[in-house]
């Protein structure tokens, strides 16, 4: 009839309601686990541990205590701590209030900590006593009132005691999930190699989906025991505080990354999963024999960042680790691709197999799309394994944007894609392989040189612990490769000429470093090599 709008049968009487729609939030993982497995050990920290029922109660009490301090929806609660149970508790208690959690990098200087507290307008700072000096230096630089909650002893007298607040709080405090799953959940600052760090903002939906993707891609289950070798301040621990709880796994805390401690905990608690930067994998692979314990069960290790050298992959396999290479960024809640191992790779020669394992892999199932493309035309490059383009991604596990930084947000989230700044090739099998950061490609005599390729060769030398290669200005060639080398403790020291000769055996001559520098390599607070600093050093050589 004219003037009447008819609704399709699939749109009539089939409306969204509380029975069939709940906004996605990772907080729901904890309530589910506490109901399903109340007596299961959730967290282990040295001699103390708690069950899932106890973890839910502690998080509920913390939420109530924070509410009593005036924390409400979209207020920022910062925390600076190592990988301790209180970090896990904050990842649930703060979003229970609809507030935003801001985990702070413990390796930063006081000025940068203060910048983060000011920029994020933190209302509360939860601080581990291990960082008393850092907090004491940072707080006078904060331009607004902030309530300090202390974990442990030794913090300033003005700090409220964490355990006392929990003891006085209501174990039945009424909290609720957000009405909008797009609501901001976490504020994560990039490590910032130059200038002020940028604050990536996560939402509840993205964290929920990322957690499930991690569990699926990394094989987490109820029987898993996850060791915290990855800092929880880094991308909220790649969302593993939520992923482990989603499946009812056990988390084992670790305050300091030391190979001897890691091997001991693996043996004691039968650890099945751990994550870490390539430098952590290198530490485990090169640990002295007296620090190792026999691993008599499968331990899955995930690493992200620069591709692990084949020598590290081989060494880790030999001592009982099954390594998966991941790729991602703060802007993508941590991992966004995984180098899924294909069964046919087992028949390949070792070097080819390790080369395949070091690729960045294929898309996580919770991301909508990915391409290696031309940032000018926004068109994908051919999947030929040779044409270089920029990695671009889009989907529900890409950040909302950078807090109070419209220009950076618009430069990074363009044309419906997240532009990573990483240059890669796309192989015919769909796997991507990073060739370099766009700013790290070396152009020598018109030829492009991948610093990662040269670093891989240098890392195969038996004396090399870590290699970093950057461009050095050259009047003839424009740029030439310059290598910086950290040697393994106690290793024979090769000469510069010997390392250059070693490279000539494996690389085209124009790719061989013309200069080799031995010594400590500068790194960011998250363990990434500071190539901008090395480029400045190379100019003076």
């Amino acid at each position: 009839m004219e003037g009447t709008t008819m609704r399709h049968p699939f749109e009539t009487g089939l409306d969204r309601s509380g029975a069939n729609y709940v906004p996605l939030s990772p907080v729901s993982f904890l309530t589910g686990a506490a109901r399903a497995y109340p007596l299961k050990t959730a967290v282990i920290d040295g001699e103390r541990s708690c069950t899932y029922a106890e973890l839910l109660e502690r998080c509920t009490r913390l939420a109530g205590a924070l509410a009593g301090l005036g924390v409400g929806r979209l207020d920022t609660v910062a925390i600076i701590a190592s990988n301790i149970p209180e970090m896990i508790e904050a990842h649930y208690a703060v979003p229970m209030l609809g507030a935003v959690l801001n985990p702070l990098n413990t390796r930063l200087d006081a000025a940068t900590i203060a910048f983060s507290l000011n920029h994020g307008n933190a209302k509360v700072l939860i601080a581990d006593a291990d960082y008393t000096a850092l907090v004491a230096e940072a707080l006078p630089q904060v331009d607004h009132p902030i309530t300090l909650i202390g974990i442990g002893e030794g913090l300033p007298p003005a700090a409220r005691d964490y355990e006392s607040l929990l003891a006085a709080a209501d174990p039945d405090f009424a909290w609720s999930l957000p009405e909008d799953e797009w609501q901001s959940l976490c504020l994560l600052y990039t490590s910032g190699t130059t200038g002020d760090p940028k604050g990536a903002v996560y939402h509840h939906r993205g964290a929920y989906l990322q957690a499930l993707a991690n569990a699926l891609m990394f094989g987490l289950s109820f029987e898993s025991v996850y060791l915290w070798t990855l800092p929880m301040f880094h991308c909220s621990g790649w969302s593993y505080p939520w992923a482990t709880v989603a499946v009812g796994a056990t988390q084992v805390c670790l305050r300091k990354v030391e190979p001897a401690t890691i091997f001991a905990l693996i043996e004691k608690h039968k650890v099945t999963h751990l994550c870490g930067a390539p430098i952590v994998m290198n530490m485990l692979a090169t640990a002295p024999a007296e620090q190792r314990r026999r691993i008599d069960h499968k331990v899955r290790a995930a690493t992200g960042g620069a591709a692990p050298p084949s020598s590290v992959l081989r060494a880790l396999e030999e001592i009982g680790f099954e390594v998966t290479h991941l790729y991602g960024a703060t802007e993508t809640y941590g991992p966004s691709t995984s180098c899924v191992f294909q069964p046919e790779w087992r028949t390949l020669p070792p070097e080819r197999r390790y080369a395949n394992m070091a690729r960045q892999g294929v898309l996580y199932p919770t991301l909508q799309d990915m391409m290696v493309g031309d940032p000018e035309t926004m068109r994908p490059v051919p999947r030929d394994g040779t044409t270089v383009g920029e990695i671009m991604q889009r989907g529900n596990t890409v950040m909302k944007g950078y807090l109070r930084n419209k220009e950076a947000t618009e430069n990074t989230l363009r044309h419906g894609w997240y532009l990573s700044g990483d240059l890669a090739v796309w192989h015919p099998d769909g796997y991507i392989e990073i060739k370099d950061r766009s700013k790290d490609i070396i152009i020598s005599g018109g030829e492009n040189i991948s610093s990662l390729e040269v670093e891989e060769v240098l890392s195969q030398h038996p004396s090399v612990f870590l290699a970093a290669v950057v461009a050095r200005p050259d009047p003839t060639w424009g740029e030439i490769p310059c290598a910086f080398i950290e040697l393994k403790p106690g290793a024979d020291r090769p000469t510069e000429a010997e390392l250059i000769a070693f490279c000539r055996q494996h690389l085209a001559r124009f790719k061989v470093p013309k200069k080799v520098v031995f010594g400590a390599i500068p790194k960011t607070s998250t363990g990434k090599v500071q190539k901008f600093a090395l480029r400045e050093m190379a100019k003076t050589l």
Side-chain angles (χ1 to χ4, degrees):
M1 185 167 59
E2 188 175 348
T4 301
T5 301
M6 300 294 294
R7 294 181 67 192
H8 193 279
F10 283 117
E11 297 176 335
T12 305
L14 302 174
D15 299 322
R16 182 184 297 182
S17 71
N20 59 23
Y21 174 80
V22 178
L24 302 180
S25 172
V27 178
S28 63
F29 296 141
L30 179 55
T31 56
R35 282 195 300 266
Y37 330 114
L39 302 182
K40 169 79 185 291
T41 299
V43 179
I44 297 172
D45 179 40
E47 297 304 313
R48 65 171 175 161
S49 65
C50 71
T51 65
Y52 270 106
E54 292 167 338
L55 179 60
L56 176 59
E57 180 181 331
R58 286 181 61 84
C59 292
T60 302
R61 285 179 179 272
L62 178 57
L66 291 171
L69 295 173
V71 175
R73 181 177 180 273
L74 297 183
D75 286 333
T76 302
V77 176
I79 181 169
I80 184 164
S82 52
N83 287 349
I84 57 178
E86 291 80 1
M87 273 289 274
I88 298 169
E89 291 162 6
H91 275 83
Y92 289 93
V94 174
M96 283 175 171
L97 297 173
V100 179
L101 179 66
N102 176 207
L104 296 172
N105 188 329
T106 60
R107 302 165 185 164
L108 295 178
D109 60 88
T112 308
I113 294 293
F115 168 85
S116 301
L117 294 172
N118 285 325
H119 187 262
N121 195 31
K123 194 166 189 174
V124 171
L125 171 61
I126 302 172
D128 184 351
D130 287 350
Y131 304 100
T132 298
L134 180 60
V135 169
E137 187 179 351
L139 285 182
Q141 303 176 55
V142 177
D143 57 16
H144 62 275
I146 188 167
T147 300
L148 180 62
I149 299 175
I151 303 168
E153 300 178 355
L155 280 155
R160 309 289 294 272
D161 179 65
Y162 187 95
E163 289 300 329
S164 297
L165 283 171
L166 262 63
D170 183 359
D172 298 314
F173 172 74
W175 56 271
S176 61
L177 295 175
E179 295 181 1
D180 183 359
E181 58 190 19
W182 175 254
Q183 183 171 307
S184 298
L185 168 73
C186 282
L187 172 63
L188 285 306
Y189 284 96
T190 60
S191 55
T193 53
T194 57
D196 291 329
K198 299 187 290 291
V201 179
Y202 295 176
H203 51 73
H204 285 251
R205 177 181 178 84
Y208 182 100
L209 293 171
Q210 179 73 10
L212 293 183
N214 282 339
L216 177 64
M217 299 299 283
F218 201 27
L220 291 176
S221 71
F222 177 80
E223 296 178 344
S224 298
V225 179
Y226 182 87
L227 177 61
W228 273 110
T229 47
L230 173 78
M232 272 187 254
F233 64 68
H234 186 47
C235 310
S236 276
W238 294 356
S239 297
Y240 276 96
W242 303 306
T244 49
V245 173
V247 297
T250 298
Q251 301 177 67
V252 179
C253 293
L254 179 69
R255 281 170 166 76
K256 188 175 181 181
V257 174
E258 296 173 327
T261 304
I262 292 171
F263 281 107
L265 290 174
I266 288 173
E267 181 183 56
K268 180 177 181 179
H269 298 296
K270 299 298 180 184
V271 168
T272 60
H273 295 75
L274 58 86
C275 300
I279 192 168
V280 175
M281 300 298 137
N282 206 351
M283 289 170 60
L284 295 175
T286 58
E290 63 270 16
Q291 294 184 5
R292 299 180 188 173
R293 303 287 185 92
R294 189 170 69 90
I295 299 176
D296 57 5
H297 62 282
K298 183 170 75 172
V299 179
R300 297 188 63 173
T303 187
S310 57
S311 57
V312 172
L313 291 173
R314 185 193 302 270
L316 288 173
E317 280 188 358
E318 290 174 351
I319 58 178
F321 291 95
E322 181 181 292
V323 184
T324 300
H325 187 216
L326 307 174
Y327 164 78
T330 303
E331 291 81 355
T332 59
Y333 296 68
S336 57
T337 73
S338 175
C339 191
V340 178
F341 189 89
Q342 300 285 354
E344 56 267 27
W345 293 356
R346 293 190 177 93
T347 64
L348 296 175
E351 292 309 312
R352 181 65 258 169
R353 176 164 64 89
Y354 292 130
N356 283 0
M357 291 171 62
R359 294 187 295 180
Q360 281 60 43
V362 292
L363 190 68
Y364 256 38
T366 46
L367 262 178
Q368 178 64 30
D369 202 1
M370 174 179 69
M371 72 170 172
V372 179
D374 183 329
E376 297 299 324
T377 65
M378 299 304 294
R379 296 177 62 86
V381 302
R383 298 192 185 194
D384 56 12
T386 58
T387 306
V388 175
E390 184 172 353
I391 298 175
M392 307 179 191
Q393 299 174 331
R394 60 182 173 192
N396 292 296
T397 51
V398 171
M399 66 169 182
K400 296 175 71 169
Y402 298 116
L403 182 68
R404 300 180 185 175
N405 198 332
K406 182 179 180 182
E407 181 181 359
T409 299
E410 291 177 346
N411 288 337
T412 304
L413 305 181
R414 285 196 285 130
H415 307 298
W417 291 89
Y418 158 62
L419 274 62
S420 67
D422 290 318
L423 301 180
V425 296
W426 214 347
H427 288 277
D429 60 4
Y431 283 60
I432 64 170
E433 180 183 359
I434 287 181
K435 289 302 181 182
D436 231 327
R437 291 286 294 176
S438 56
K439 59 189 176 185
D440 292 337
I441 283 286
I442 303 165
I443 304 175
S444 185
E447 297 285 352
N448 287 353
I449 302 172
S450 166
S451 65
L452 299 182
E453 180 184 3
V454 184
E455 290 163 3
E456 160 66 19
V457 169
L458 286 165
S459 296
Q460 293 176 19
H461 191 281
S463 295
V464 172
F465 175 74
L466 181 64
V469 177
V470 298
R472 178 189 178 196
D474 183 82
T476 302
W477 302 104
E479 294 177 339
I480 56 174
C482 177
F484 292 82
I485 301 296
E486 281 188 20
L487 298 174
K488 296 176 182 176
D492 293 335
R493 182 186 177 95
T495 65
E496 179 183 34
E498 287 171 345
L499 275 184
I500 290 174
F502 180 81
C503 289
R504 283 181 179 149
Q505 298 174 25
H506 305 280
L507 292 167
R509 290 190 70 87
F510 74 92
K511 297 181 180 180
V512 173
K514 307 301 186 290
K515 180 69 177 176
V516 178
V517 181
F518 297 94
I521 295 176
K523 304 173 187 68
T524 69
S525 56
T526 54
K528 297 177 182 177
V529 171
Q530 290 185 318
K531 286 199 169 181
F532 77 95
L534 295 181
R535 281 191 288 269
E536 291 301 312
M537 293 169 62
K539 292 177 183 177
T540 66
L541 298 174

